[in-house]
Amino acid sequence: MAIREIRKFPDPVLRRKTDRITSINGTIERLIDDMVETMHAAPGVGLAANQVGVSLQVAVIDLSTREEKEKRHPLLVIINPEILSRQGSVVEEEGCLSIPEYAEKVKRAARVKVRAQDRTGNVFELEAEGLLAKALQHEIDHLNGLLFIDRLSPLKKSIFKRRLKKMALEKT
Ligand SMILES: [Zn+2]
């Protein structure tokens, strides 16, 4: 296993919709192992493949350090995931390993039903709420080339843009 470099906004790979995985071979197995290690080292609670520069539909989620009840999902690998249904809405703070030192409130569905394949290729369905629902939506957005900043209100988006300009100025 190896820790891979986490791509940061505005890396274009984060904006590209990822491709479906058609066969789970040794390369994919290694990618998943590396993603888990990279996520744990960051540390983070979720990581999508395009965040390590690989434009394929796989993400990993581990909420066991954050929430007691999430210990039943110590490590979730989702391959070719899709959201089947969404219910309700919640506004909660989010951050992203690809957008360091920035967090903002984002509106998401409160509950989601997701269908995906696990790392052996088996199709499974999962109903989630709370932190897990948030993480699933965040990671599936990544795989579709979306970032949480895309879901901010227009006002918060403009504040984020100003912050980016300020950061660019500080670097020069
Ligand atoms: Zn993220």
Side-chain angles (χ1 to χ4, degrees):
M1 295 211 287
I3 292 173
R4 301 201 189 190
E5 186 205 341
I6 296 178
R7 303 300 184 89
K8 305 280 167 29
F9 175 84
D11 190 317
V13 75
L14 297 169
R15 289 309 195 180
R16 205 177 306 144
K17 191 181 186 313
T18 54
D19 295 323
R20 276 184 75 83
I21 292 175
T22 49
S23 81
I24 300 163
N25 52 28
T27 308
I28 302 291
E29 293 272 347
R30 264 193 308 279
L31 170 66
I32 293 168
D33 288 341
D34 288 355
M35 284 170 62
V36 171
E37 197 177 351
T38 305
M39 168 179 71
H40 285 150
V45 296
L47 191 70
N50 47 349
Q51 289 183 279
V52 292
V54 180
S55 198
L56 289 174
Q57 285 183 27
V58 56
V60 294
I61 294 170
D62 183 353
L63 302 173
S64 57
T65 56
R66 291 286 186 88
E67 236 174 48
E68 189 61 32
K69 69 174 181 176
E70 298 303 347
K71 291 221 159 72
R72 65 204 159 100
H73 298 298
L75 177 66
L76 201 56
V77 176
I78 49 170
I79 294 174
N80 302 327
E82 52 178 323
I83 295 178
L84 300 176
S85 64
R86 303 163 202 264
Q87 279 185 302
S89 74
V90 282
V91 178
E92 274 184 273
E93 197 166 85
E94 269 180 50
C96 179
L97 293 175
S98 293
I99 309 171
E101 291 163 41
Y102 181 71
E104 191 47 89
K105 288 199 161 106
V106 182
K107 191 177 173 188
R108 298 275 187 191
R111 287 174 299 282
V112 288
K113 190 174 174 184
V114 169
R115 181 193 288 149
Q117 284 165 269
D118 66 19
R119 61 181 301 162
T120 66
N122 287 324
V123 177
F124 66 96
E125 285 184 10
L126 177 66
E127 283 182 57
E129 57 181 9
L131 193 55
L132 183 57
K134 181 168 94 170
L136 284 164
Q137 291 172 85
H138 182 108
E139 300 312 326
I140 293 170
D141 265 2
H142 270 302
L143 298 178
N144 287 314
L146 291 169
L147 297 166
F148 83 91
I149 47 172
D150 301 324
R151 298 199 179 275
L152 299 179
S153 66
L155 174 67
K156 283 180 179 158
K157 253 185 216 166
S158 68
I159 293 170
F160 176 72
K161 282 192 189 128
R162 249 183 280 153
R163 191 192 135 97
L164 278 182
K165 269 185 208 147
K166 191 166 165 268
M167 280 165 59
L169 285 174
E170 279 166 2
K171 271 185 204 155
T172 53

